[in-house]
Amino acid sequence: MFAVERLSRTFGGLRALDGVSLAVREGEIFGLIGPNGAGKTTVFNIVTGFLAPTAGRVRFRGEEITRWPADRVAARGIARTFQNIRLFRGMSAVENVIVGEHVRTRATLLDALARTRTHRREEAEGRARARELLALVGLEDRAAIQADVLAYGDQRRLEIARALATRPTLLLLDEPAAGMNPAETHTLTTVIRRLRDEVGLTIVLIEHDMKLVMGVCDRIAVLNFGRKIAEGTPDEVRRDPAVIEAYLGARAPRPAAVRTTVGDTVLAVEQLSCGYGPVDVLHGVSLDVRAGQIAALIGANGAGKSTLLRTISGLLRPRTGQIRLRNVSIGGASPDRIVGLGVAHVPEGRQVLARLTVDDNLRAAAYVRRDRQVERDRVALLERFPALRERRARLAGTLSGGEQQMLAIARGLMARPRVLMLDEPSLGLGPRVVERVFDIIEEVQASGVPILLVEQNAQLALETAHSGYVLESGRIVMHDRADRLLGDEAVQRAYLG
């Protein structure tokens, strides 16, 4: 029914897709999974006309639709939802669905202005069908409610109803369960099955909730760094060594972290809950980071790891719970105060100041300091990072990925932190560069700075850390010494269901 053939897409020097081929059968629920940055949404964007491929073809019901505009793709019978909710927030639920009907109507603007018979008939039919679609996704009693007032899970299902209004035969769902609680995810699973079994749709599903994917999909394809690495039934994919490596990491083991005496608690998180808007992401999370140690926080994409770091650093306000640095409560404090108290956050994606030099990046990172040792610390860090010393006058945006990650860590250390938080330091780096970055992380810990490490490569994180926490759907589900978590099948289940 639907296929992409040797699909490739580059963005500048980045190859987001590299020769990906997929074939989806009619009436199938087909999963498309992979770590962050694997290229999953890029596939959807190309199929639906939002992006043009660099190479390759898209075929639908035997017809090539490569490079068709989005409206023509929708009219042909392909509809999609998006990672981020894109409803008309000031319109009611039923009005949002009616908007989707317009791809199938024939009335013109003049018909609407003159309120012709054609317009009135199509408007009445569209409203009736919109209510039927709301009932199909379980929102029949919310038709008149404004979209932005609906609960988060209801907004997600409303997006599906609006996509159904275009009368597709192929429905592409991009992370429909993102941010949902278990009850909402269960309802969504029922809706997806009904769409296939009762409506007859073919569905392609991108989703990080592995329990949902493994429970609802007939077949699954796995992308990693823009390439397809596996395809098969849920059981086949779950056991595939390449998939396990992509999610958990597999490499020559590092020397085990030296077991140190447990020190005093430097950073404590107690029963923390928080989220974005109406969406709860973290639910009663507790962990601690102790002096002289590295604590690893691992879990599948979308588990809430980055959200936790953002909340600790003051970028998000906690809804309930406590965050303490030593004995000082910092939950809800401003980011600059938290940095001043001693919490440094190196975010995912490095986020160095691309148009400043290496030297100026380091100076800017010490903005909260009022002492006279800034220049001495800058020089000392350049000695610790020889690659940066040699490039101190270069713009940060011209550095390699590994050099930018080193600079990001050095920027964090310029604040003289009492605890350093690192978010995905290996992301997008080659194996040799990753080894060097993790050598640096161990050197920083050995110098007396405790670290809270969020890392997509679970094996690497647990080999480096002293203690480990496994986060699943916003909740800590495992906590133990890192060496005990290594190889634990329960950790694998948290990633792959």
Side-chain angles (χ1 to χ4, degrees), residues 85 87 89 146-156 178-181 184 273-283 316-317 319:
I85 292 174
L87 296 172
R89 301 179 63 81
Q146 191 166 296
D148 61 355
V149 179
L150 292 172
Y152 183 80
D154 292 344
Q155 291 186 27
R156 284 286 186 186
M180 286 187 174
N181 61 42
E184 290 170 331
S273 296
C274 68
Y276 302 90
V279 184
D280 290 321
V281 177
L282 299 178
H283 311 276
L316 288 174
R317 291 187 65 85
R319 292 175 177 168

Side-chain angles (χ1 to χ4, degrees), residues 276 305-316 345 421:
Y276 302 90
K305 305 183 297 297
S306 294
T307 297
L308 177 58
L309 298 196
R310 288 171 58 83
T311 306
I312 293 171
S313 61
L315 299 174
L316 288 174
H345 179 188
M421 303 192 303

Side-chain angles (χ1 to χ4, degrees), residues 28 38 56 114 159 203 260 297 299 370 414:
E28 189 172 39
E159 278 213 319
I203 298 171
T260 60
L297 179 65
R370 297 294 181 265
M414 279 297 294

Side-chain angles (χ1 to χ4, degrees), residues 2-10 42-60 63-74 78:
F2 162 70
V4 298
E5 301 169 359
R6 302 192 61 77
L7 207 61
S8 296
R9 170 70 194 199
T10 59
T42 301
V43 172
F44 275 18
N45 287 339
I46 290 173
V47 170
T48 54
F50 286 82
L51 284 176
T54 304
R57 299 190 301 173
V58 182
R59 302 186 66 83
F60 181 61
E63 182 177 17
E64 183 170 348
I65 62 170
T66 315
R67 300 177 188 273
W68 279 21
D71 61 325
R72 190 178 175 193
V73 172
I78 300 176

Side-chain angles (χ1 to χ4, degrees), residues 124-182:
E125 291 173 349
R127 185 170 293 273
R129 176 167 167 75
R131 290 184 177 278
E132 291 175 0
L133 293 175
L134 288 174
L136 182 63
V137 299
L139 296 177
E140 62 269 30
D141 59 344
R142 296 167 177 81
I145 297 177
Q146 191 166 296
D148 61 355
V149 179
L150 292 172
Y152 183 80
D154 292 344
Q155 291 186 27
R156 284 286 186 186
R157 284 184 286 149
L158 177 56
E159 278 213 319
I160 295 174
R162 186 177 60 183
L164 295 175
T166 66
R167 304 178 194 179
T169 54
L170 174 64
L171 179 62
L172 311 180
L173 300 177
D174 196 348
E175 297 193 28
M180 286 187 174
N181 61 42

